[in-house]
Coordinates of all heavy atoms in Angstrom, one line a residue:
M22 N 22.7 -41.0 -25.2 CA 23.5 -42.1 -25.0 C 22.7 -43.2 -24.3 O 22.1 -43.0 -23.4 CB 24.7 -41.7 -24.1 CG 25.6 -42.8 -23.9 SD 26.7 -42.7 -22.4 CE 27.9 -41.6 -22.8
G23 N 22.7 -44.4 -25.0 CA 22.0 -45.5 -24.4 C 22.8 -46.3 -23.4 O 23.9 -46.2 -23.3
D24 N 22.0 -47.2 -22.7 CA 22.7 -48.1 -21.7 C 23.1 -49.4 -22.4 O 23.4 -50.3 -21.6 CB 21.8 -48.3 -20.6 CG 21.5 -47.1 -19.7 OD1 22.4 -46.1 -19.8 OD2 20.6 -47.0 -19.0
E25 N 23.1 -49.5 -23.7 CA 23.4 -50.7 -24.4 C 24.8 -51.1 -24.0 O 25.7 -50.4 -24.3 CB 23.2 -50.5 -25.8 CG 22.7 -51.8 -26.5 CD 22.3 -51.5 -27.9 OE1 21.3 -50.9 -28.1 OE2 23.1 -51.8 -28.9
G26 N 25.0 -52.3 -23.6 CA 26.3 -52.7 -23.2 C 26.9 -52.4 -21.9 O 27.9 -52.9 -21.4
F27 N 26.1 -51.5 -21.2 CA 26.5 -51.0 -19.9 C 26.3 -52.1 -18.8 O 27.2 -52.3 -17.9 CB 25.8 -49.8 -19.6 CG 26.3 -49.1 -18.2 CD1 27.5 -48.5 -18.2 CD2 25.5 -49.2 -17.1 CE1 27.9 -47.9 -17.0 CE2 25.9 -48.6 -15.9 CZ 27.1 -47.9 -15.9
F28 N 25.2 -52.8 -18.9 CA 24.9 -53.9 -18.0 C 24.9 -55.2 -18.7 O 24.4 -55.3 -19.8 CB 23.5 -53.7 -17.3 CG 23.4 -52.5 -16.4 CD1 22.7 -51.4 -16.8 CD2 24.0 -52.5 -15.2 CE1 22.5 -50.3 -15.9 CE2 23.9 -51.5 -14.3 CZ 23.2 -50.4 -14.7
K29 N 25.4 -56.2 -18.1 CA 25.3 -57.6 -18.6 C 24.3 -58.3 -17.7 O 24.5 -58.5 -16.5 CB 26.7 -58.2 -18.6 CG 26.7 -59.6 -19.2 CD 28.1 -60.3 -19.2 CE 27.9 -61.7 -19.7 NZ 29.2 -62.4 -19.5
I30 N 23.1 -58.6 -18.3 CA 22.1 -59.2 -17.5 C 21.9 -60.6 -18.1 O 21.7 -60.9 -19.2 CB 20.7 -58.4 -17.7 CG1 21.0 -57.0 -17.2 CG2 19.6 -59.0 -17.0 CD1 19.8 -56.1 -17.4
N31 N 21.8 -61.6 -17.1 CA 21.6 -63.0 -17.3 C 20.5 -63.5 -16.4 O 20.5 -63.2 -15.2 CB 22.7 -63.8 -17.2 CG 23.8 -63.6 -18.2 OD1 23.6 -63.3 -19.4 ND2 25.1 -63.7 -17.8
Q32 N 19.5 -64.3 -17.0 CA 18.5 -64.9 -16.1 C 18.5 -66.4 -16.4 O 18.4 -66.7 -17.6 CB 17.1 -64.3 -16.4 CG 16.1 -64.9 -15.5 CD 14.8 -64.2 -15.5 OE1 14.5 -63.2 -16.2 NE2 13.8 -64.7 -14.8
D33 N 18.7 -67.1 -15.4 CA 18.8 -68.6 -15.5 C 17.5 -69.2 -14.8 O 17.2 -68.8 -13.7 CB 20.0 -69.1 -14.9 CG 21.3 -68.7 -15.6 OD1 21.3 -68.5 -16.8 OD2 22.2 -68.3 -14.8
T34 N 16.9 -70.1 -15.5 CA 15.8 -70.8 -14.7 C 16.1 -72.4 -14.9 O 16.5 -72.9 -16.0 CB 14.5 -70.5 -15.5 OG1 14.2 -69.2 -15.5 CG2 13.3 -71.3 -14.9
E35 N 16.0 -73.0 -13.8 CA 16.2 -74.5 -13.7 C 15.2 -75.0 -12.8 O 14.6 -74.4 -11.9 CB 17.6 -74.7 -13.0 CG 18.8 -74.4 -13.9 CD 20.1 -74.9 -13.2 OE1 20.1 -75.9 -12.4 OE2 21.0 -74.2 -13.3
F36 N 14.9 -76.4 -13.0 CA 14.0 -77.1 -12.2 C 14.8 -78.1 -11.3 O 15.7 -78.7 -11.8 CB 13.0 -77.9 -13.1 CG 12.0 -77.0 -13.8 CD1 12.2 -76.8 -15.2 CD2 11.0 -76.4 -13.1 CE1 11.4 -75.9 -15.8 CE2 10.1 -75.6 -13.8 CZ 10.3 -75.4 -15.2
K37 N 14.5 -78.0 -10.0 CA 15.1 -78.8 -9.0 C 14.1 -79.9 -8.5 O 12.9 -79.6 -8.4 CB 15.6 -78.0 -7.8 CG 16.5 -76.8 -8.3 CD 17.9 -77.3 -8.7 CE 18.8 -76.1 -9.0 NZ 20.1 -76.6 -9.3
F38 N 14.6 -81.0 -8.1 CA 13.8 -82.1 -7.7 C 14.3 -82.6 -6.3 O 15.5 -82.8 -6.1 CB 13.8 -83.3 -8.7 CG 13.3 -82.9 -10.1 CD1 14.3 -82.4 -11.0 CD2 12.0 -82.9 -10.4 CE1 13.8 -82.0 -12.2 CE2 11.6 -82.5 -11.7 CZ 12.5 -82.1 -12.6
K39 N 13.3 -82.9 -5.4 CA 13.6 -83.4 -4.0 C 12.7 -84.5 -3.8 O 11.5 -84.4 -3.8 CB 13.4 -82.2 -3.0 CG 13.6 -82.7 -1.6 CD 14.9 -83.1 -1.2 CE 15.0 -83.4 0.3 NZ 16.1 -84.2 0.6
D40 N 13.3 -85.7 -3.5 CA 12.5 -86.9 -3.2 C 12.3 -87.0 -1.7 O 13.2 -86.9 -0.9 CB 13.3 -88.2 -3.7 CG 13.4 -88.2 -5.2 OD1 12.5 -87.8 -5.9 OD2 14.5 -88.7 -5.6
S41 N 11.1 -87.2 -1.3 CA 10.7 -87.3 0.1 C 9.4 -88.1 0.3 O 8.4 -87.7 -0.4 CB 10.6 -85.9 0.7 OG 10.4 -86.0 2.1
Y42 N 9.4 -89.0 1.1 CA 8.2 -89.9 1.4 C 7.5 -90.4 0.2 O 6.3 -90.5 0.1 CB 7.3 -89.0 2.2 CG 7.8 -88.6 3.5 CD1 8.2 -87.2 3.8 CD2 8.0 -89.4 4.6 CE1 8.8 -86.8 4.9 CE2 8.6 -89.0 5.8 CZ 8.9 -87.7 5.9 OH 9.5 -87.3 7.1
G43 N 8.3 -90.8 -0.8 CA 7.7 -91.5 -2.0 C 7.1 -90.4 -3.0 O 6.6 -90.9 -4.0
F44 N 7.4 -89.2 -2.8 CA 6.9 -88.1 -3.7 C 8.2 -87.4 -4.2 O 9.2 -87.4 -3.5 CB 6.0 -87.1 -3.1 CG 4.7 -87.7 -2.7 CD1 4.4 -88.0 -1.3 CD2 3.7 -87.9 -3.6 CE1 3.3 -88.5 -0.9 CE2 2.5 -88.5 -3.2 CZ 2.3 -88.7 -1.8
T45 N 8.1 -86.8 -5.4 CA 9.2 -86.0 -5.9 C 8.6 -84.6 -6.0 O 7.6 -84.3 -6.7 CB 9.7 -86.4 -7.3 OG1 10.1 -87.8 -7.2 CG2 10.8 -85.5 -7.8
F46 N 9.1 -83.6 -5.2 CA 8.7 -82.3 -5.1 C 9.5 -81.5 -6.2 O 10.7 -81.7 -6.3 CB 8.9 -81.7 -3.7 CG 8.0 -82.3 -2.7 CD1 8.4 -83.5 -2.0 CD2 6.8 -81.9 -2.5 CE1 7.6 -84.1 -1.1 CE2 5.9 -82.4 -1.6 CZ 6.3 -83.6 -0.8
V47 N 8.8 -80.7 -7.0 CA 9.4 -80.0 -8.1 C 9.5 -78.5 -7.7 O 8.5 -77.9 -7.3 CB 8.7 -80.1 -9.4 CG1 9.4 -79.4 -10.5 CG2 8.5 -81.6 -9.7
F48 N 10.7 -77.9 -7.8 CA 10.9 -76.5 -7.5 C 11.4 -75.8 -8.8 O 12.2 -76.4 -9.5 CB 11.9 -76.2 -6.4 CG 11.4 -76.9 -5.1 CD1 11.7 -78.2 -4.8 CD2 10.7 -76.1 -4.2 CE1 11.3 -78.7 -3.5 CE2 10.3 -76.7 -3.0 CZ 10.6 -78.0 -2.7
E49 N 11.0 -74.6 -9.0 CA 11.6 -73.7 -10.0 C 12.5 -72.7 -9.4 O 12.2 -71.9 -8.5 CB 10.5 -73.0 -10.8 CG 10.9 -72.2 -11.9 CD 9.8 -71.4 -12.7 OE1 8.7 -71.7 -12.4 OE2 10.1 -70.7 -13.6
E50 N 13.8 -72.7 -9.9 CA 14.8 -71.8 -9.4 C 15.1 -70.7 -10.5 O 15.4 -71.1 -11.6 CB 16.2 -72.6 -9.1 CG 17.2 -71.7 -8.6 CD 18.5 -72.5 -8.5 OE1 19.2 -72.9 -9.5 OE2 18.8 -72.9 -7.3
N51 N 14.9 -69.5 -10.1 CA 15.1 -68.3 -11.0 C 16.3 -67.5 -10.4 O 16.1 -67.0 -9.3 CB 13.9 -67.5 -11.3 CG 12.9 -68.2 -12.0 OD1 13.1 -68.7 -13.1 ND2 11.7 -68.4 -11.5
I52 N 17.3 -67.3 -11.2 CA 18.5 -66.5 -10.6 C 18.7 -65.3 -11.7 O 18.9 -65.6 -12.9 CB 19.7 -67.2 -10.4 CG1 19.5 -68.3 -9.4 CG2 20.9 -66.4 -10.0 CD1 20.7 -69.2 -9.1
L53 N 18.7 -64.1 -11.3 CA 18.9 -62.9 -12.1 C 20.3 -62.4 -11.7 O 20.6 -62.1 -10.6 CB 17.9 -61.9 -11.9 CG 18.1 -60.6 -12.7 CD1 17.9 -60.8 -14.2 CD2 17.1 -59.5 -12.3
R54 N 21.2 -62.3 -12.7 CA 22.5 -61.8 -12.5 C 22.7 -60.6 -13.3 O 22.4 -60.5 -14.5 CB 23.6 -62.9 -12.9 CG 23.7 -64.0 -12.0 CD 24.7 -65.0 -12.5 NE 25.0 -66.1 -11.6 CZ 24.2 -67.3 -11.7 NH1 23.3 -67.4 -12.7 NH2 24.4 -68.2 -10.8
I55 N 23.3 -59.5 -12.7 CA 23.6 -58.2 -13.3 C 25.1 -58.1 -13.1 O 25.6 -58.1 -12.0 CB 22.8 -57.1 -12.7 CG1 21.4 -57.3 -13.0 CG2 23.3 -55.8 -13.4 CD1 20.5 -56.2 -12.3
N56 N 25.8 -58.0 -14.3 CA 27.3 -57.9 -14.2 C 27.9 -59.1 -13.4 O 28.8 -58.8 -12.6 CB 27.7 -56.5 -13.7 CG 27.4 -55.4 -14.7 OD1 27.2 -55.6 -15.9 ND2 27.2 -54.2 -14.1
E57 N 27.4 -60.3 -13.6 CA 28.0 -61.5 -13.0 C 27.8 -61.5 -11.5 O 28.3 -62.4 -10.9 CB 29.4 -61.7 -13.3 CG 29.7 -61.8 -14.8 CD 29.1 -62.8 -15.5 OE1 28.9 -63.9 -15.0 OE2 28.7 -62.7 -16.7
K58 N 26.9 -60.6 -10.9 CA 26.6 -60.7 -9.5 C 25.1 -61.0 -9.3 O 24.3 -60.5 -10.1 CB 27.0 -59.5 -8.8 CG 28.4 -59.2 -8.8 CD 28.8 -58.0 -8.0 CE 30.3 -57.8 -8.1 NZ 30.8 -56.7 -7.3
I59 N 24.8 -61.9 -8.4 CA 23.4 -62.2 -8.2 C 22.6 -61.0 -7.7 O 22.9 -60.4 -6.7 CB 23.2 -63.4 -7.2 CG1 23.8 -64.7 -7.8 CG2 21.7 -63.6 -6.9 CD1 23.8 -65.9 -7.0
S60 N 21.6 -60.7 -8.5 CA 20.8 -59.5 -8.1 C 19.5 -60.0 -7.4 O 19.1 -59.4 -6.4 CB 20.3 -58.8 -9.3 OG 19.4 -57.8 -9.1
S61 N 18.9 -61.1 -7.8 CA 17.8 -61.7 -7.1 C 17.8 -63.2 -7.4 O 18.3 -63.7 -8.4 CB 16.5 -61.1 -7.5 OG 16.2 -61.4 -8.8
A62 N 17.2 -63.9 -6.4 CA 17.0 -65.4 -6.6 C 15.7 -65.8 -6.0 O 15.2 -65.2 -5.0 CB 18.1 -66.1 -5.9
E63 N 15.1 -66.8 -6.6 CA 13.7 -67.2 -6.2 C 13.7 -68.8 -6.4 O 14.1 -69.3 -7.3 CB 12.6 -66.6 -7.1 CG 11.3 -67.1 -6.9 CD 10.3 -66.7 -7.9 OE1 10.6 -66.5 -9.0 OE2 9.1 -66.3 -7.4
L64 N 13.2 -69.5 -5.3 CA 13.0 -70.9 -5.3 C 11.5 -71.1 -5.0 O 11.1 -70.8 -3.9 CB 13.8 -71.5 -4.3 CG 13.8 -73.1 -4.4 CD1 14.3 -73.6 -5.7 CD2 14.7 -73.6 -3.2
K65 N 10.8 -71.5 -6.0 CA 9.3 -71.6 -5.9 C 8.8 -73.1 -6.1 O 9.2 -73.7 -7.1 CB 8.7 -70.7 -6.9 CG 7.2 -70.7 -7.0 CD 6.7 -69.6 -8.0 CE 6.9 -70.1 -9.4 NZ 6.3 -69.3 -10.4
P66 N 8.0 -73.6 -5.2 CA 7.5 -75.0 -5.4 C 6.5 -74.9 -6.5 O 5.6 -74.0 -6.6 CB 6.8 -75.3 -4.1 CG 6.6 -74.0 -3.4 CD 7.6 -73.0 -3.9
V67 N 6.5 -75.9 -7.5 CA 5.6 -75.8 -8.6 C 4.7 -77.1 -8.7 O 3.7 -77.0 -9.4 CB 6.3 -75.5 -10.0 CG1 6.9 -74.2 -10.0 CG2 7.3 -76.6 -10.3
G68 N 5.1 -78.1 -8.1 CA 4.3 -79.4 -8.2 C 4.9 -80.6 -7.6 O 6.0 -80.5 -6.9
I69 N 4.2 -81.7 -7.7 CA 4.6 -82.9 -7.1 C 4.5 -84.0 -8.2 O 3.5 -84.0 -8.9 CB 3.7 -83.3 -5.8 CG1 3.8 -82.2 -4.8 CG2 4.0 -84.7 -5.3 CD1 2.7 -82.3 -3.7
I70 N 5.5 -84.8 -8.3 CA 5.5 -86.0 -9.1 C 5.3 -87.2 -8.3 O 6.0 -87.4 -7.3 CB 6.7 -86.1 -10.0 CG1 6.8 -84.8 -10.9 CG2 6.8 -87.3 -10.9 CD1 8.1 -84.8 -11.7
Y71 N 4.4 -88.1 -8.6 CA 4.2 -89.3 -7.8 C 3.9 -90.5 -8.8 O 3.6 -90.3 -10.0 CB 3.0 -89.2 -6.9 CG 1.7 -89.0 -7.5 CD1 0.8 -90.0 -7.8 CD2 1.3 -87.7 -7.9 CE1 -0.4 -89.7 -8.4 CE2 0.1 -87.4 -8.4 CZ -0.8 -88.4 -8.7 OH -2.0 -88.3 -9.2
E72 N 4.2 -91.7 -8.4 CA 4.1 -92.9 -9.2 C 2.9 -93.7 -8.6 O 2.7 -93.9 -7.4 CB 5.4 -93.7 -9.1 CG 5.3 -94.9 -10.0 CD 6.6 -95.8 -9.9 OE1 7.5 -95.4 -9.2 OE2 6.6 -96.8 -10.6
E73 N 2.1 -94.1 -9.6 CA 0.9 -94.9 -9.3 C 0.7 -95.9 -10.5 O 0.6 -95.5 -11.6 CB -0.4 -94.0 -9.1 CG -1.5 -94.7 -8.6 CD -2.7 -93.8 -8.3 OE1 -2.5 -92.9 -7.5 OE2 -3.8 -94.0 -9.0
N74 N 0.5 -97.2 -10.1 CA 0.3 -98.2 -11.1 C 1.4 -98.2 -12.2 O 1.1 -98.2 -13.4 CB -1.0 -98.1 -11.7 CG -2.2 -98.3 -10.8 OD1 -2.0 -99.1 -9.8 ND2 -3.3 -97.6 -11.0
D75 N 2.7 -98.0 -11.8 CA 3.8 -98.0 -12.7 C 3.8 -96.8 -13.7 O 4.4 -96.9 -14.7 CB 4.0 -99.3 -13.4 CG 4.3 -100.5 -12.5 OD1 5.0 -100.2 -11.5 OD2 3.9 -101.6 -12.8
E76 N 3.0 -95.8 -13.4 CA 3.0 -94.6 -14.2 C 3.3 -93.4 -13.4 O 2.9 -93.4 -12.2 CB 1.7 -94.4 -15.0 CG 1.5 -95.5 -16.0 CD 0.2 -95.2 -16.9 OE1 -0.2 -94.0 -16.9 OE2 -0.3 -96.1 -17.5
Y77 N 4.0 -92.3 -13.9 CA 4.2 -91.1 -13.2 C 3.2 -90.0 -13.5 O 2.7 -89.9 -14.6 CB 5.6 -90.6 -13.6 CG 6.7 -91.4 -13.0 CD1 7.4 -92.3 -13.8 CD2 7.1 -91.2 -11.7 CE1 8.4 -93.0 -13.3 CE2 8.1 -91.9 -11.1 CZ 8.8 -92.9 -12.0 OH 9.8 -93.6 -11.4
Y78 N 2.8 -89.3 -12.5 CA 1.9 -88.2 -12.6 C 2.4 -86.9 -12.1 O 3.1 -87.0 -11.1 CB 0.5 -88.6 -11.9 CG -0.2 -89.7 -12.5 CD1 0.1 -91.1 -12.0 CD2 -1.1 -89.6 -13.5 CE1 -0.6 -92.2 -12.5 CE2 -1.7 -90.7 -14.1 CZ -1.5 -92.0 -13.6 OH -2.1 -93.1 -14.1
F79 N 2.1 -85.8 -12.7 CA 2.5 -84.5 -12.2 C 1.3 -83.8 -11.7 O 0.4 -83.5 -12.5 CB 3.3 -83.8 -13.4 CG 3.6 -82.3 -12.9 CD1 4.6 -82.2 -12.0 CD2 3.0 -81.3 -13.5 CE1 5.0 -80.9 -11.6 CE2 3.3 -79.9 -13.1 CZ 4.3 -79.8 -12.2
A80 N 1.3 -83.3 -10.5 CA 0.3 -82.5 -9.9 C 0.8 -81.1 -9.6 O 1.5 -80.9 -8.6 CB -0.2 -83.2 -8.6
P81 N 0.4 -80.2 -10.5 CA 0.8 -78.8 -10.3 C 0.2 -78.2 -9.0 O -0.9 -78.4 -8.7 CB 0.5 -78.1 -11.6 CG -0.7 -78.9 -12.1 CD -0.5 -80.3 -11.6
L82 N 0.9 -77.3 -8.4 CA 0.4 -76.6 -7.2 C -0.3 -75.3 -7.6 O -1.1 -74.8 -6.9 CB 1.6 -76.3 -6.2 CG 2.3 -77.5 -5.6 CD1 3.5 -77.0 -4.8 CD2 1.4 -78.3 -4.9
D83 N 0.1 -74.9 -8.8 CA -0.5 -73.6 -9.4 C -0.4 -73.7 -10.8 O 0.1 -74.7 -11.4 CB 0.3 -72.4 -8.7 CG -0.5 -71.1 -8.8 OD1 -1.7 -71.1 -9.3 OD2 0.0 -70.0 -8.4
E84 N -0.7 -72.6 -11.5 CA -0.6 -72.6 -13.0 C 0.9 -72.7 -13.3 O 1.7 -71.9 -12.8 CB -1.1 -71.3 -13.6 CG -1.3 -71.3 -15.1 CD -1.9 -70.1 -15.5 OE1 -3.0 -69.7 -15.0 OE2 -1.5 -69.6 -16.5
V85 N 1.2 -73.7 -14.2 CA 2.6 -73.9 -14.6 C 2.9 -73.5 -16.0 O 2.1 -74.0 -16.9 CB 3.0 -75.4 -14.4 CG1 4.5 -75.6 -14.8 CG2 2.9 -75.7 -12.9
G86 N 3.9 -72.7 -16.3 CA 4.1 -72.3 -17.6 C 4.5 -73.3 -18.6 O 4.1 -73.4 -19.7
D87 N 5.5 -74.2 -18.3 CA 6.1 -75.0 -19.2 C 6.2 -76.5 -18.6 O 7.3 -76.8 -18.1 CB 7.5 -74.5 -19.6 CG 8.0 -75.2 -20.9 OD1 7.4 -76.1 -21.4 OD2 9.1 -74.9 -21.3
I88 N 5.2 -77.2 -18.7 CA 5.1 -78.5 -18.1 C 6.1 -79.5 -18.9 O 6.8 -80.3 -18.3 CB 3.7 -79.1 -18.1 CG1 2.9 -78.4 -17.1 CG2 3.7 -80.6 -17.8 CD1 1.5 -78.8 -17.0
K89 N 6.2 -79.3 -20.2 CA 7.2 -80.1 -21.0 C 8.6 -79.9 -20.5 O 9.3 -80.9 -20.4 CB 7.1 -79.7 -22.5 CG 5.9 -80.3 -23.1 CD 6.1 -80.0 -24.7 CE 4.9 -80.6 -25.4 NZ 5.0 -80.6 -26.8
A90 N 9.0 -78.8 -20.1 CA 10.4 -78.6 -19.6 C 10.6 -79.4 -18.3 O 11.6 -80.0 -18.1 CB 10.7 -77.1 -19.4
I91 N 9.6 -79.4 -17.4 CA 9.6 -80.2 -16.2 C 9.7 -81.6 -16.4 O 10.6 -82.4 -15.9 CB 8.4 -79.9 -15.3 CG1 8.4 -78.4 -14.9 CG2 8.4 -80.8 -14.1 CD1 7.2 -78.0 -14.2
I92 N 8.9 -82.1 -17.3 CA 8.9 -83.5 -17.7 C 10.3 -83.9 -18.3 O 10.9 -85.0 -17.9 CB 7.8 -83.9 -18.7 CG1 6.4 -83.7 -18.0 CG2 7.9 -85.3 -19.3 CD1 5.3 -83.8 -18.9
N93 N 10.8 -83.1 -19.2 CA 12.1 -83.4 -19.9 C 13.2 -83.4 -18.8 O 14.1 -84.4 -18.8 CB 12.5 -82.3 -20.9 CG 11.6 -82.5 -22.2 OD1 11.1 -83.5 -22.4 ND2 11.5 -81.4 -22.8
E94 N 13.2 -82.5 -17.9 CA 14.3 -82.6 -16.8 C 14.1 -83.8 -15.9 O 15.1 -84.4 -15.5 CB 14.2 -81.2 -15.9 CG 14.7 -80.1 -16.7 CD 16.2 -80.1 -17.0 OE1 17.0 -80.6 -16.2 OE2 16.6 -79.8 -18.2
F95 N 12.9 -84.1 -15.6 CA 12.6 -85.3 -14.7 C 13.1 -86.6 -15.4 O 13.7 -87.4 -14.9 CB 11.2 -85.4 -14.4 CG 10.8 -86.5 -13.5 CD1 11.2 -86.5 -12.1 CD2 10.1 -87.6 -13.9 CE1 10.9 -87.6 -11.3 CE2 9.8 -88.7 -13.1 CZ 10.2 -88.6 -11.8
M96 N 12.8 -86.7 -16.7 CA 13.2 -87.8 -17.5 C 14.8 -87.9 -17.6 O 15.3 -89.0 -17.5 CB 12.6 -87.8 -18.9 CG 11.1 -87.9 -18.8 SD 10.4 -89.4 -17.9 CE 11.0 -90.7 -18.9
K97 N 15.4 -86.8 -17.7 CA 16.9 -86.8 -17.8 C 17.4 -87.3 -16.4 O 18.4 -88.1 -16.3 CB 17.4 -85.4 -18.0 CG 17.4 -85.0 -19.4 CD 18.0 -83.5 -19.5 CE 17.5 -82.8 -20.7 NZ 18.0 -81.4 -20.7
R98 N 16.8 -86.9 -15.3 CA 17.2 -87.3 -14.0 C 17.0 -88.8 -13.8 O 17.8 -89.5 -13.1 CB 16.4 -86.5 -13.0 CG 16.6 -86.7 -11.6 CD 15.7 -85.8 -10.7 NE 16.0 -86.0 -9.3 CZ 15.2 -86.6 -8.5 NH1 14.2 -87.2 -8.9 NH2 15.5 -86.7 -7.2
C99 N 15.9 -89.3 -14.3 CA 15.6 -90.7 -14.1 C 16.5 -91.6 -14.9 O 16.8 -92.7 -14.5 CB 14.1 -91.0 -14.5 SG 12.9 -90.4 -13.3
S100 N 16.9 -91.2 -16.1 CA 17.8 -92.0 -16.9 C 19.3 -91.9 -16.5 O 20.1 -92.7 -16.9 CB 17.7 -91.5 -18.4 OG 18.1 -90.3 -18.6
A101 N 19.6 -91.0 -15.6 CA 21.0 -90.8 -15.2 C 21.3 -91.9 -14.2 O 20.6 -92.5 -13.5 CB 21.3 -89.5 -14.6

């Protein structure tokens, strides 16, 4: 007998942005839910976005898996 269908597992990943002192700090939020209850949560700093000469730059704090996703979320935030 397998455990298929016994647990409902969802993992959500979002990028959060916090503006402070002229910089935008980027955080990755990972939430693991088992049967609709939070099993674990992680909020990890991933980089800093800053503006110089009317252009934006992303400075990662460590190896970042999906920089395009961060840029897309940041652009949605800027256009809102």
Side-chain angles (χ1 to χ4, degrees):
M22 181 199 279
D24 289 341
E25 211 168 288
F27 186 72
F28 292 110
K29 183 178 178 190
I30 299 173
N31 292 326
Q32 183 170 356
D33 298 320
T34 300
E35 290 184 30
F36 292 102
K37 304 289 184 175
F38 302 92
K39 171 70 175 159
D40 296 321
S41 187
Y42 299 105
F44 296 103
T45 302
F46 295 88
V47 184
F48 298 89
E49 183 178 353
E50 178 185 76
N51 291 304
I52 298 177
L53 179 65
R54 291 182 176 88
I55 298 176
N56 294 335
E57 302 300 324
K58 295 184 181 184
I59 294 176
S60 173
S61 69
E63 174 186 37
L64 186 62
K65 175 176 77 170
V67 292
I69 300 168
I70 297 174
Y71 62 95
E72 184 179 2
E73 187 176 299
N74 299 326
D75 295 326
E76 291 190 21
Y77 288 100
Y78 296 90
F79 175 68
L82 298 176
D83 201 358
E84 190 173 317
V85 177
D87 194 359
I88 292 177
K89 282 188 176 186
I91 294 170
I92 293 168
N93 289 339
E94 287 298 316
F95 182 72
M96 295 306 292
K97 284 182 202 174
R98 181 179 182 258
C99 288
S100 65

